[in-house]
Amino acid sequence: MRPHPPLSSPRSSRRRLPLHAALALTSLAACLPSPPARAADWPEFNIDGRHNGNNQQETIVNSGNVSTLHVVQQVTLPSIADGPPVFLSGVQTASGIKDLLFLTTKAGHILALDAATLATVWSHQPATTPRYTTSSPAIDPNRLYVYSYGLEGKVHKYQVGDGTEITTGGWPEVATLKPDVEKCSPPLSVVVTNGGAQYLYAANGGYPGDAGDYQGHITAIDLATGAQNVFNTQCSDQTVHFVESPGTPDCSNGVQSAVWARPAVLYSSEVDRIYFATGNATYNANTGGHDWGDSVLAVHPDGTGTGSNGLPLDSYTPVEFQTLQNNDADLGSTAPALLPPVPGSNVAHLAVQSGKDAQLRLLNLADLSGSGGPGHTGGELQKIGVPQGGEVLTQPAVWTNPVDGGIWVIVANDNGISGLQVTADGSGNPSMTSKWQKSGGGTSPVVANGMVFYVGGSGVSALDPTTGTQLFNNTSPGGIHWESPIVIDGRLYFDDESAVLRLYAPNPAPLGFYTVTPCRVVDTRNPPGPYGGPALSGLGARRQFQLSGQCGVPADAQAVTATVTVVAPPTDGLFRIGPSGVANTTSTLNFRAGQVRASNTVIGLTGDPLGAAWVESDGAGSANLLIDVSGYFK
């Protein structure tokens, strides 16, 4: 349907605003899109407890300026930080409100850095022995504390603004009693459950070489009480931290089975369980034992299983578990990548599990083995080879294409990087299909504003997630091990094996404002079409509208000024409007049943795809929407 001007709108010629007006509106545009109540955070590895690595609030770095990313700041850290930083916005410090980065170094430092200058705000090193860690910190859901692993085997809790350590209520919390042989390799993880409970997870395995008396395990810490539960992947009937043999308690018959994948523990709110994968070791749970080598396990968010004989709630173990054990081909070199609902799938809750055997397995999170409980083997829905080949020691990113709702899994390793789409056939059976692959691998990728970012031997790169087309590359970084990037608030951060932390940003783009003849782009009262009906259905439903190219708005417009109107909705509700692909958290227009309400706003167009906007309706019933544009920024 061709857009048409509203009948009551005055007409005006397209013109450049006077300088004072342009400056005022440019200042307004600098905040585009309408920000949430606070700026976005990156509080733990790959953003949140799902660890999908998809930042849905980034708009500053976009496909139009990503090629201009360049190093703005860099700093040498006191020790290598073998993992990504985390980011917290708007922190009150002794020198004012700052955005902060937090890193855990291999030598056991916790560092708080000014995110703009990379200057140290505060730091601690609670222990210097016995060995090292490759963990990363996690930020408390209430944004008051940051948690970091210490070399002595404890998790420490610090105030974010000044680094004051909390030493009451059970803190620091024990994660292992034998840190000389049990290493905390993965980042710490924090989740908020459906019921509002808050847990922190630390995972332990062994050091390279699989030497010593270690047992993989997770420690789940209740952040409200400090109480903790332990789930051991060998001797799971003992829910304690073991000591080194010949002391007690000990698991005398089982060693190894590390929990060492990058995210360690993942939370699925859909099934209200946490999941983690184990490394090579004895598996005998199918014959009544308590050893869970090379398995994916599901337990309650508090770290407990069924409560019967050390059983988890559910498990998946490949039928070839003994071959994996014999070949040191850990299933748990990576963790399940939790998928959003796949359109048309007859399996509601899916995950993709890879490993050192270069396979990708599609699993049913609600019934991992297909046998209705733990202790069975096989049961994957699909198993295919990693498209680029090679073992997977990284965590895949998961992305939903805002254009068509397609579900994508991005897998990077030393061999390269690939994009797979997960779809369902006409009978509802889900499957993975490789769509592209590239040489030049790297560590765990992330997605921000419809672009894949990753670092590796070829430097730091950005790709189109649907084609693999390279959008950006920079070869400044040194060597990379577990380090991976974060993209937040218009900035790209990562560190390397030279202990150098870098901050990248795109070139600034000064904006001018231009008026257009007031024009109605969207009217859902009209017949069905891209800019017409149907009405927005409510209950969080979204529609996407391509605003650039309409009503005189050019393709490279960064934002439009618009009047948004709701017409006689049947129930109370609100519209949230922002760049396509971005999870807007603030209301653009609140309305009451039966009313005609309008609001002037600025709609950012720097999402994915460029030039498009998302409109979300959060009422109980359908609502008709009008959008009239009057100008644009570029």
Side-chain angles (χ1 to χ4, degrees):
M1 182 187 74
R2 183 177 181 181
H4 54 84
L7 296 179
S8 60
S9 297
R11 302 185 65 84
S12 63
S13 59
R14 184 171 183 268
R15 67 188 187 278
R16 182 102 182 195
L17 282 186
L19 179 60
H20 68 279
L23 288 174
L25 287 167
T26 300
S27 298
L28 175 63
C31 299
L32 293 177
S34 298
R38 65 169 187 265
D41 298 327
W42 195 296
E44 59 185 292
F45 175 83
N46 279 13
I47 302 177
D48 57 25
R50 293 181 73 91
H51 304 297
N52 279 345
N54 183 11
N55 182 0
Q56 297 186 70
Q57 293 188 314
E58 179 59 35
T59 59
I60 298 174
V61 179
N62 57 69
S63 59
N65 64 18
V66 66
S67 63
T68 71
L69 284 171
H70 60 284
V71 178
V72 176
Q73 301 283 354
Q74 68 179 53
V75 67
T76 299
L77 305 173
S79 171
I80 295 169
D82 199 359
V86 298
F87 176 97
L88 187 64
S89 63
V91 178
Q92 181 67 57
T93 72
S95 54
I97 296 176
K98 298 178 180 294
D99 297 340
L100 296 184
L101 292 174
F102 300 92
L103 299 100
T104 299
T105 73
K106 292 178 73 172
H109 303 88
I110 171 67
L111 305 174
L113 308 181
D114 185 318
T117 67
L118 305 188
T120 299
V121 176
W122 59 262
S123 68
H124 292 289
Q125 190 180 19
T128 59
T129 59
R131 300 186 70 177
Y132 68 93
T133 182
T134 55
S135 184
S136 293
I139 294 168
D140 188 87
N142 297 318
R143 308 180 79 248
L144 299 176
Y145 306 103
V146 59
Y147 303 96
S148 184
Y149 183 80
L151 299 189
E152 86 282 38
K154 296 181 179 179
V155 179
H156 295 259
K157 178 179 181 179
Y158 304 95
Q159 293 180 0
V160 293
D162 62 9
T164 299
E165 182 169 6
I166 305 302
T167 56
T168 58
W171 297 96
E173 294 267 357
V174 172
T176 176
L177 294 175
K178 39 186 178 180
D180 57 325
V181 293
E182 289 188 343
K183 172 191 173 190
C184 180
S185 176
L188 302 179
S189 179
V190 171
V191 305
V192 179
T193 69
N194 295 338
Q198 300 177 358
Y199 295 99
L200 180 141
Y201 305 101
N204 288 78
Y207 292 89
D210 286 339
D213 175 32
Y214 77 84
Q215 291 81 29
H217 62 273
I218 67 164
T219 305
I221 303 168
D222 187 326
L223 293 180
T225 66
Q228 62 171 241
N229 292 306
V230 179
F231 192 97
N232 287 301
T233 64
Q234 299 283 285
C235 297
S236 64
D237 55 328
Q238 299 186 60
T239 56
V240 296
H241 289 116
F242 295 127
V243 301
E244 287 190 70
S245 182
T248 57
D250 186 35
C251 180
S252 58
N253 297 320
V255 295
Q256 303 180 355
S257 193
V259 182
W260 64 285
R262 281 298 81 202
V265 176
L266 307 96
Y267 174 66
S268 169
S269 58
E270 295 86 352
V271 292
D272 197 29
R273 294 177 177 180
I274 59 171
Y275 295 83
F276 53 98
T278 69
N280 57 284
T282 298
Y283 172 77
N284 58 22
N286 59 335
T287 57
H290 304 101
D291 300 332
W292 301 88
D294 292 303
S295 299
V296 175
L297 304 180
V299 300
H300 290 299
D302 66 359
T304 62
T306 64
S308 173
N309 204 26
L311 289 175
L313 300 177
D314 200 4
S315 68
Y316 164 77
T317 308
V319 293
E320 64 272 25
F321 64 86
Q322 192 59 54
T323 300
L324 299 182
Q325 158 71 334
N326 294 343
N327 294 334
D328 189 30
D330 303 43
L331 181 75
S333 64
T334 183
L338 308 184
L339 306 184
V342 173
S345 173
N346 55 24
V347 180
H349 312 301
L350 292 164
V352 175
Q353 175 68 38
S354 191
K356 287 171 71 174
D357 65 347
Q359 299 294 306
L360 295 169
R361 298 167 171 87
L362 190 63
L363 304 180
N364 179 356
L365 285 176
D367 188 3
L368 288 169
S369 67
S371 299
H376 304 277
T377 62
E380 65 272 2
L381 304 176
Q382 182 191 19
K383 184 171 75 171
I384 62 174
V386 172
Q388 67 269 31
E391 62 185 18
V392 177
L393 310 181
T394 60
Q395 185 62 17
V398 178
W399 174 67
T400 301
N401 188 342
V403 175
D404 59 13
I407 308 301
W408 289 78
V409 179
I410 313 298
V411 181
N413 62 8
D414 285 347
N415 281 27
I417 185 168
S418 57
L420 300 98
Q421 193 165 13
V422 184
T423 58
D425 63 19
S427 299
N429 301 309
S431 64
M432 302 172 285
T433 304
S434 176
K435 294 297 184 180
W436 57 265
Q437 65 185 74
K438 292 175 66 72
S439 60
T443 58
S444 301
V446 298
V447 180
N449 204 4
M451 296 170 288
V452 176
F453 294 84
Y454 69 109
V455 294
S458 300
V460 56
S461 300
L463 308 177
D464 182 319
T466 63
T467 65
T469 301
Q470 184 170 286
L471 306 174
F472 162 74
N473 176 256
N474 179 273
T475 58
S476 297
I480 297 294
H481 185 230
W482 295 130
E483 297 90 349
S484 57
I486 69 171
V487 182
I488 184 78
D489 195 29
R491 294 170 271 190
L492 164 68
Y493 299 94
F494 63 91
D495 49 287
D496 64 22
E497 287 291 287
S498 300
V500 175
L501 173 68
R502 290 177 174 85
L503 158 59
Y504 291 72
N507 289 338
L511 298 179
F513 179 75
Y514 304 85
T515 61
V516 297
T517 300
C519 177
R520 180 156 295 163
V521 183
V522 175
D523 188 340
T524 62
R525 299 171 300 177
N526 288 328
Y531 300 95
L536 279 78
S537 57
L539 299 177
R542 290 171 174 155
R543 283 190 64 183
Q544 178 179 286
F545 299 99
Q546 187 72 30
L547 301 184
S548 65
Q550 305 296 321
C551 293
V553 177
D556 58 349
Q558 302 292 292
V560 294
T561 55
T563 301
V564 178
T565 305
V566 62
V567 180
T571 63
D572 296 354
L574 59 88
F575 289 146
R576 305 179 198 271
I577 304 179
S580 176
V582 176
N584 195 21
T585 60
T586 56
S587 171
T588 304
L589 175 64
N590 297 321
F591 50 80
R592 295 284 189 182
Q595 295 182 342
V596 177
R597 297 288 302 274
S599 176
N600 294 322
T601 189
V602 178
I603 303 173
L605 302 180
T606 56
D608 175 38
L610 290 175
W614 260 0
V615 181
E616 177 181 312
S617 179
D618 286 334
S622 61
N624 277 307
L625 166 74
L626 315 180
I627 300 179
D628 300 312
V629 298
S630 56
Y632 62 88
F633 296 90
K634 64 170 286 186

